[in-house]
Structures are given as C-alpha cells and as structure tokens.
Amino acid sequence: MSGPLRIAVVCLGNICRSPMADVVLESKLADAGLSDVVHVDSAGTGDWHVGEPMDPRAAAVLTDHGYDPSRHRAQQITPSWFGDHDLILTMDDANLDDVTALARTPQERRLVQKFRAYDPVARPGDDEVPDPWYGGPEGFVAVLRMIERTADAIVERVPSLVSDVTD
C-alpha cells in the first residue's frame, strides 16, 4: 500500500451518524498512534445537507463526550469515492443498497460493508446504526456508544485491514 488505509463512513445526509463515526474513529486512531496509517472521511447518500455542519444534537453529544465535531461539513458520496477509498462502511441497509448501486465493478462493490460488521455485539437483524434524527438526545447517546464500540473494534483490526488492502 502506497499510503494510508482510506475508510469512508456513509449515512443518509452526513449530518448525524457518519460524521459522528468519522470524528470518533479519527480520535480513537489518534489515541492508538495510527493517524498516519488510516485516513477517515464521511459522506451522505443524499445531497440536501452538502456544506452544512453536523446536526447540533450530534455535535453536542460528541462535545459532551470529549470529541471535537467542529470541522465537519457534509458532503455526498459519488462514484469517485471508490477510487479514493479502500473500505466504505455504511450505517444501515438502505445506505448499503444506495452505495452499492454507485459501484461500477464487482471490485468496487466488495469495498462496501456495514459499519457494524466490525461491532462485536452486532448480530443478524441488529446490525444497523439507527438514525437518531427523529428522536431525543438519548438516541444520539445510544448511537455514540454503538459507534465507540465499533470504532474500538476497527482500530484493533487495522493491521489485518491494511493487510487485506495490500493483498
């Protein structure tokens, strides 16, 4: 591999779940001394929030838990992301279907997985990161806990993920 492992996390609008995952994963990678080994981006499948900051409720939960959400600006995933990323992790089945539909080749489709594929407690039927948009603050906290747990597992798997990309 000529550069860092490039991971994208994707949700619907790129203002709640995927930017939370981006911020948390980057923080945990930095804590593990892996910032130079892995680069993280986030995007949404829709374009209606492009250029906007993170949802204030998501940003508040991140801030309350010691993360810095301030630099996020929403962007939309495009087919070019397949050439720019080694792994594209989606938050739910609808995102998985939408992102997979953007893939132009079987090789690109293989880059797409659900984010919680790395969650040690995920199981069939309970492998999505729920969208907290319509709920209260407790939904954002629950999503953060799910993301933190999954991000920890991804950080632990970085050596094998790097190996998978170079093979």
Side-chain angles (χ1 to χ4, degrees):
M1 188 164 66
S2 61
L5 175 71
R6 300 155 307 171
I7 299 174
V9 286
V10 180
C11 68
L12 186 61
N14 194 221
I15 59 169
C16 294
R17 296 171 291 170
S18 61
M20 289 175 73
D22 182 347
V23 168
V24 170
L25 186 53
E26 281 188 348
S27 177
K28 291 182 175 289
L29 288 162
D31 290 348
L34 296 170
S35 293
D36 293 339
V37 178
V38 182
H39 176 79
V40 183
D41 286 313
S42 67
T45 58
D47 66 354
W48 50 93
H49 294 294
V50 169
E52 294 180 13
M54 193 179 305
D55 179 280
R57 298 166 297 173
V61 166
L62 286 172
T63 300
D64 290 349
H65 288 85
Y67 299 101
D68 178 11
S70 63
R71 74 178 190 287
H72 175 75
R73 292 297 174 267
Q75 51 189 343
Q76 183 181 19
I77 189 170
T78 65
S80 69
W81 280 57
F82 289 96
D84 297 335
H85 295 87
D86 303 300
L87 184 60
I88 300 175
L89 302 174
T90 66
M91 296 293 131
D92 62 31
D93 288 328
N95 306 146
L96 181 73
D97 291 344
D98 290 343
V99 173
T100 302
L102 292 174
R104 298 161 292 200
T105 67
Q107 181 180 359
E108 288 181 348
R109 281 189 286 283
R110 285 192 291 274
L111 301 180
V112 185
Q113 299 177 29
K114 280 195 207 166
F115 181 77
R116 287 193 64 206
Y118 296 90
D119 184 344
V121 302
R123 58 188 189 280
D126 181 28
D127 60 354
E128 295 185 328
V129 178
D131 192 343
W133 174 260
Y134 293 105
E138 66 284 346
F140 286 88
V141 172
V143 164
L144 176 61
R145 295 294 177 229
M146 194 177 290
I147 287 170
E148 287 178 320
R149 180 179 64 236
T150 304
D152 285 337
I154 290 170
V155 169
E156 287 179 23
R157 300 244 342 245
V158 164
S160 66
L161 291 171
V162 169
S163 176
D164 288 348
V165 169
T166 57
D167 289 345

